[in-house]
Amino acid sequence: MKILKYLFLSLNSLLSFYAGWWAYEMVLWLVWEQTISEGDLRAVQYWAGIAYLIILVPLYLLICSYVRSRIKPRFVRILLYPIGCAVIFVLPTLFIFAAFGGGNLFSAEAFLFYVFFISSGVVFGLGYALSMFLSLGKF
């Protein structure tokens, strides 16, 4: 049973990363009517992937674990999983900007990363709630 839970959480991590990536591309297209170039595509995927794996996945799991252990009403948990995971969106953006020597956290590029990580957090939180629901209703 634990193997299935870990497999589900791994798939949830991949799904949430690609949901964030999709949101990034959609906002780029809808707001600025642009597509991403091949070179930028690789760079954004690389740096967002590193920030996601190093910072977000551990923090997502920590937040969800904290909510599960401290919050008793199930409905509140369902709300706090995605909200808690989404509110830390600025941390991976800070990591990415620090890797390049700084930058404006109110710029268009930062906004795209914010959308990426907020979307990823919401999807991860909802997936985590689903995984807790599937494991004997202990969400």
Side-chain angles (χ1 to χ4, degrees):
M1 188 64 143
K2 285 195 176 222
I3 292 173
L4 288 176
K5 179 181 173 186
Y6 293 132
L7 179 64
F8 187 85
L9 287 175
S10 298
L11 292 174
N12 184 38
S13 295
L14 283 173
L15 177 67
S16 69
F17 179 81
Y18 284 110
W21 178 251
W22 181 81
Y24 180 100
E25 285 189 328
M26 287 299 104
V27 168
L28 183 64
W29 184 72
L30 291 171
V31 175
W32 289 285
E33 296 178 357
Q34 295 180 2
T35 58
I36 193 162
S37 68
E38 189 67 30
D40 288 343
L41 172 74
R42 301 266 185 244
V44 170
Q45 284 178 335
Y46 176 77
W47 285 104
I50 287 176
Y52 184 80
L53 287 174
I54 292 173
I55 297 171
L56 286 183
V57 171
L59 284 176
Y60 286 166
L61 292 172
L62 183 67
I63 289 168
C64 291
S65 177
Y66 180 81
V67 167
R68 188 181 74 234
S69 67
R70 301 277 192 236
I71 307 299
K72 298 301 175 199
R74 290 182 181 187
F75 179 72
V76 176
R77 285 186 197 175
I78 292 172
L79 290 175
L80 287 180
Y81 289 142
I83 291 170
C85 291
V87 297
I88 59 171
F89 67 91
V90 76
L91 295 177
T93 306
L94 283 171
F95 171 80
I96 292 169
F97 277 55
F100 288 102
N104 184 359
L105 293 176
F106 300 103
S107 67
E109 293 83 9
F111 176 73
L112 288 170
F113 281 111
Y114 294 155
V115 168
F116 184 107
F117 296 124
I118 289 170
S119 303
S120 174
V122 169
V123 171
F124 188 93
L126 291 173
Y128 190 88
L130 180 60
S131 75
M132 292 299 105
F133 177 75
L134 293 176
S135 66
L136 304 174
K138 296 180 182 178
F139 69 101

